[in-house]
Amino acid sequence: MTRDEHAFSDILQQAVGLGPLPMAVAHPCSREALLGAVEAADHGIATPILVAPAARLAKLADELEVDLSPFELIDVPHSHAAAEQAVALVRDGYADILMKGSLHTDEFMAEALARGTGIRTDRRISHVWIMKVESYPRYLFITDAAINIEPDLLTKRDICQNAIDLTLALGIRQPKVAILAAVETINPAMRSTLDAAALCKMADRGQITGAILDGPLAFDNAISREAADSKGIVSPVAGDPDILLVPDLEAGNMLGKQLTYLAAAASAGIVMGARVPIVLTSRADDATGRLASAAVANVLAHKRRQSGPRS
């Protein structure tokens, strides 16, 4: 099973054209974490600030034959301090992108979301997977598969708007959002169907903007126009979505990993809703995925610079 190594070439080219931005990297103490940061620098999309125990990082760099001299290094005693310092760099305006290295997501995100010292905004944060599947003609944005475990309606509103904002920043005009459930009809016993209907009405009333929403839609009729037609579903979204809004983290996590490991999808990951884009990749992700995620973050950060920060 091989993945398309050029899946994100258009986004990468856009980021290269926009130019590098400072990126705080928390604890890049694994092979993939360090190489992901180095490749982002080599491609001209980021200027990494490496926050890690200096001796450990130097040992890793020697093993990988990586020259650390071009990079700013902030020596900290352990991974928790690395997360704290990396977040502080963003909060104080020294970095426009935050990247997770080889530390646990909970440890990393706890610092990013800490009240008073983190980089929260007035919107709930959420994760977006950007996936390229050979059988689908364009990118699929899957959300939320990493942060919000069982989101309520208002959290889903923020999850939806975060994903829309990302697609708009990447140049997708009026993206289409398929709100997923197990069925395409309203069933009071299934909260996901009620939430889907409410989200569509919220979009009608301007509480969600910038996209076309429809749901509930089961996965088959969300992704396949033939499946939608067979059930008599008339929808501008069915069979043609940009964004798949999943009912909960478990569903999103399974969907994303199925596409990755069964359909050889190439993927990038980004966290929205904070003061800056956060590159939140799995510790198992390779350097190519980290580079793609950094490119997405670069484009988003440049757009935010143009429009001004959001509190």
Side-chain angles (χ1 to χ4, degrees), residues 272-294:
M272 301 287 293
R275 292 189 194 178
V276 302
I278 302 174
V279 178
L280 185 69
T281 51
S282 167
R283 283 171 290 166
D285 287 343
D286 60 19
T288 301
R290 292 173 187 267
L291 175 63
S293 300

Side-chain angles (χ1 to χ4, degrees), residues 107-268:
E107 182 181 20
F108 176 73
M109 292 307 300
E111 290 301 322
L113 298 178
R115 295 192 180 277
T117 59
I119 51 174
R120 289 173 172 265
T121 68
D122 56 356
R123 189 184 293 174
R124 287 291 292 266
I125 69 161
S126 57
H127 179 269
V128 185
W129 249 331
I130 306 99
M131 310 203 83
K132 192 68 179 69
V133 188
E134 186 177 349
S135 58
Y136 199 72
R138 58 185 182 278
Y139 294 116
L140 273 174
F141 297 77
I142 299 173
T143 191
D144 176 0
I147 301 292
N148 296 283
I149 298 173
E150 292 185 346
D152 60 17
L153 177 61
L154 292 182
T155 301
K156 287 181 180 178
R157 178 196 63 188
D158 284 356
I159 291 171
C160 187
Q161 191 65 64
N162 283 340
I164 293 167
D165 289 352
L166 175 57
T167 58
L168 293 173
L170 293 176
I172 300 171
R173 296 187 177 183
Q174 204 171 38
K176 297 178 180 180
V177 182
I179 308 167
L180 298 184
V183 296
E184 65 280 351
T185 54
I186 306 299
N187 183 339
M190 300 177 69
R191 197 191 83 185
S192 59
T193 67
L194 298 175
D195 286 351
L199 289 167
C200 291
K201 184 52 65 177
M202 293 169 87
D204 291 343
R205 298 290 186 264
Q207 292 174 272
I208 300 171
T209 61
I212 301 170
L213 277 63
D214 196 15
L217 291 169
F219 181 79
D220 57 347
N221 49 61
I223 209 71
S224 166
R225 193 174 297 280
E226 290 78 10
D229 289 344
S230 71
K231 293 189 176 182
I233 298 172
V234 178
S235 164
V237 173
D240 193 37
D242 299 287
I243 298 168
L244 299 178
L245 181 65
V246 299
D248 56 36
L249 183 147
E250 287 184 310
N253 192 275
M254 289 183 216
L255 173 58
K257 289 180 178 176
Q258 284 166 358
L259 292 176
T260 299
Y261 289 98
L262 288 177
S267 66

Side-chain angles (χ1 to χ4, degrees), residues 71-95:
F71 307 114
E72 181 179 354
L73 170 62
I74 298 177
D75 185 20
V76 293
H78 43 63
S79 60
H80 184 81
E84 183 179 20
Q85 184 59 47
V87 169
L89 290 171
V90 169
R91 190 180 62 250
D92 295 339
Y94 292 105

